[in-house]
Amino acid sequence: MPNKPPTSAPSGSGTLYIISAPSGAGKTSLVKALLESVDDRITVSVSHTTRARRPGEVDGEDYFFTDPDTFHAMIDEGAFLEHARVFDNYYGTAAAPIRERLEQGIDVILEIDWQGARQVREAMSDGISIFILPPSRNALEQRLRSRGQDDDNVIARRMRDAMSEISHYGEYDYLVVNDEFQPALEELAAIVRGRRLRTAVQQANRQALISALLASKG
């Protein structure tokens, strides 16, 4: 697929938020709470994957479950903002649904690792990136162990992966430390609300008001 120059969303449209964090930092819980605390003008992007659907998962909500031939055809068509192979399965973020929502003035959250985030930033230059940190290594390990799903070897691997992920924090626009959940949530919400108050965004969303205020009464 040929490289495409970075593009930006239409002026004053919704904002793309690229959120990354090491496993165990609480990203998923924070994003879920953020959706509930802001308003209905923000949503989470649903990725495509070739892996099998797990019990309880819903197509179109958890992932778009896609067969390998269709996924590779989408790659060839340049349909993805980013895509990657993880073990034997492929994962990717389709560009069209994101751009459509942004043009409608809806903010879109993309939960992704640092490698995917780098690809997305290259494709969409005005995305806002946020990295979520745990308060300490010990806290991160305790959170991973509290799940009760992994043995010591898996925990050790997850910790190594987490340190690798954390090493890329400097590539992001904002840094949030999830020490206490509520303050971290408030910081995330502040980033979203602050972004919405930028002049370019307000100009598009409040155009009728601005036009009325500036209209000549002749």
Side-chain angles (χ1 to χ4, degrees), residues 127-172:
I128 301 300
S129 57
I130 305 168
F131 198 93
I132 299 172
L133 285 173
S136 68
R137 285 196 181 200
N138 287 340
L140 182 61
E141 183 171 350
Q142 288 172 8
R143 291 174 184 177
L144 291 173
R145 291 189 181 280
S146 68
R147 298 174 177 178
Q149 299 174 344
D150 303 315
D151 60 26
D152 287 344
N153 289 333
V154 173
I155 293 293
R157 178 178 61 79
R158 289 188 181 278
M159 287 296 294
R160 289 194 298 271
D161 291 344
M163 294 308 108
S164 175
E165 185 84 19
I166 289 171
S167 70
H168 294 274
Y169 77 91
E171 299 175 17
Y172 292 74

Side-chain angles (χ1 to χ4, degrees), residues 44 55 92 94 98-100 107 133 143 145 161 171 177 206 217:
V44 174
I98 290 179
R99 296 189 190 280
E100 180 180 350
D107 296 331
L133 285 173
R143 291 174 184 177
R145 291 189 181 280
D161 291 344
E171 299 175 17
V177 178
R206 305 286 187 176
K217 292 186 177 182

Side-chain angles (χ1 to χ4, degrees), residues 3-190:
N3 291 328
K4 297 180 180 180
T7 61
S8 60
S11 177
S13 68
T15 297
L16 176 63
Y17 293 95
I18 305 159
I19 302 183
S20 303
S23 178
K27 168 172 58 66
T28 300
S29 297
L30 282 169
V31 168
K32 181 180 179 181
L34 177 66
L35 294 178
E36 296 171 351
S37 68
V38 181
D39 55 36
D40 60 359
R41 291 189 295 118
I42 188 167
T43 187
V44 174
S45 172
V46 179
S47 298
H48 287 68
T49 183
T50 59
R51 76 159 172 78
R53 191 187 314 184
R54 295 169 183 165
E57 289 185 326
V58 178
D59 185 45
E61 293 184 12
D62 297 286
Y63 286 97
F64 290 107
F65 294 96
T66 309
D67 64 82
D69 288 342
T70 300
F71 195 99
H72 285 291
M74 292 178 71
I75 293 176
D76 292 339
E77 294 165 2
F80 292 119
L81 280 179
E82 62 80 31
H83 66 276
R85 182 174 180 175
V86 182
F87 300 111
D88 294 327
N89 298 303
Y90 287 88
Y91 296 81
T93 303
I98 290 179
R99 296 189 190 280
E100 180 180 350
R101 289 184 175 87
L102 294 176
E103 289 170 359
Q104 294 169 348
I106 298 172
D107 296 331
V108 179
I109 295 174
L110 181 55
E111 299 181 65
I112 201 166
D113 68 8
W114 71 268
Q115 292 170 304
R118 184 176 286 179
Q119 291 183 56
V120 173
R121 282 195 298 268
E122 290 174 353
M124 296 190 69
S125 60
D126 57 355
I128 301 300
S129 57
I130 305 168
F131 198 93
I132 299 172
L133 285 173
S136 68
R137 285 196 181 200
N138 287 340
L140 182 61
E141 183 171 350
Q142 288 172 8
R143 291 174 184 177
L144 291 173
R145 291 189 181 280
S146 68
R147 298 174 177 178
Q149 299 174 344
D150 303 315
D151 60 26
D152 287 344
N153 289 333
V154 173
I155 293 293
R157 178 178 61 79
R158 289 188 181 278
M159 287 296 294
R160 289 194 298 271
D161 291 344
M163 294 308 108
S164 175
E165 185 84 19
I166 289 171
S167 70
H168 294 274
Y169 77 91
E171 299 175 17
Y172 292 74
D173 300 311
Y174 294 91
L175 199 59
V176 172
V177 178
N178 185 16
D179 186 357
E180 296 183 20
F181 187 85
Q182 191 59 36
L185 173 59
E186 291 171 0
E187 290 177 356
L188 275 179

